[in-house]
Amino acid sequence: MTPDPATASAPARRAPAGAAVLRADVTEAIRDAVVEELAAVGFSKMSIEGIARRAGVGKTAVYRRWKSKLHLVLDLVGAFAVDGLPVPATGSLYGDVRALLEVMSHVLRHPVASAVIPDLLVEAARNPEIADAVRGALLDGQRRMAEGIVSAAVARGELPAGIDPAHALDLLIGPLYWRQVVVRDAVTGGHLDVLAHQVVAGLKASV
């Protein structure tokens, strides 16, 4: 059968340049490289070139996914943030606090947390843009959970109205962050039990 000259001479259709599917394995390699680069040189000295070299890809592969190193790091932070988790609903203030402490302890054990967050907080003290971005990535989900825990406790009569969820979050996360990220001491289930009781007592005494 003789091919149609019109179709034989027509070039093969190509997908638009921007339609390429981003390979998941390349994305994960870049994320792994960011953690390694942060641990090696810190955020201020970290570069897209260094990340790409460590991941074994070109700079273009990084820029297709993130427009800057800040957005790349914040994406990593967001990957283990609590924003998508449901608010604990155990039926008691102590149970909810204990559940949130368990979640946050698990989050802070993530290697990204120990490698990224302390360095980002140092940079945030010098750069308002980074400070705003870090605050959104780290605090929005935690604040939502604290608000849910406090409002449920008020509805049950366990706490009086007027408790500031931001104060509750300070009591919840501050001691845990200090122990796990700053001091780097082990956090056992028994320690979380005691801390949960202390947080509940602090909340009840704060009004």
Side-chain angles (χ1 to χ4, degrees), residues 70-157:
L70 174 61
H71 288 87
L72 208 169
V73 169
L74 291 176
D75 174 68
L76 279 181
V77 173
F80 65 88
V82 299
D83 190 50
L85 296 177
V87 176
T90 66
S92 72
L93 176 58
Y94 171 81
D96 289 351
V97 167
R98 179 63 175 77
L100 181 54
L101 286 171
E102 186 75 40
V103 169
M104 290 310 305
S105 179
H106 177 75
V107 167
L108 292 174
R109 285 197 300 271
H110 194 287
V112 173
S114 58
V116 173
I117 293 178
D119 203 35
L120 274 184
L121 292 177
V122 171
E123 294 298 324
R126 298 193 288 254
N127 187 321
E129 179 189 6
I130 295 178
D132 290 342
V134 170
R135 188 177 298 112
L138 293 179
L139 294 183
D140 285 352
Q142 296 174 21
R143 186 179 296 113
R144 175 185 59 82
M145 297 182 84
E147 290 171 350
I149 288 173
V150 168
S151 63
V154 170
R156 288 191 298 263

Side-chain angles (χ1 to χ4, degrees), residues 10-88:
R13 295 184 63 186
R14 301 177 63 182
V21 176
L22 299 178
R23 287 173 49 188
D25 61 330
V26 172
T27 301
E28 287 307 308
I30 294 171
R31 287 187 172 126
D32 291 342
V34 172
V35 176
E36 294 172 6
E37 192 76 358
L38 275 167
V41 303
F43 181 82
S44 62
K45 294 182 179 179
M46 187 179 75
S47 66
I48 296 296
E49 291 83 355
I51 293 167
R53 184 168 54 251
R54 195 179 287 271
V57 301
K59 290 192 297 182
T60 304
V62 181
Y63 282 119
R64 281 197 190 111
R65 292 161 171 83
W66 301 277
K67 63 182 181 180
S68 71
K69 68 177 185 178
L70 174 61
H71 288 87
L72 208 169
V73 169
L74 291 176
D75 174 68
L76 279 181
V77 173
F80 65 88
V82 299
D83 190 50
L85 296 177
V87 176

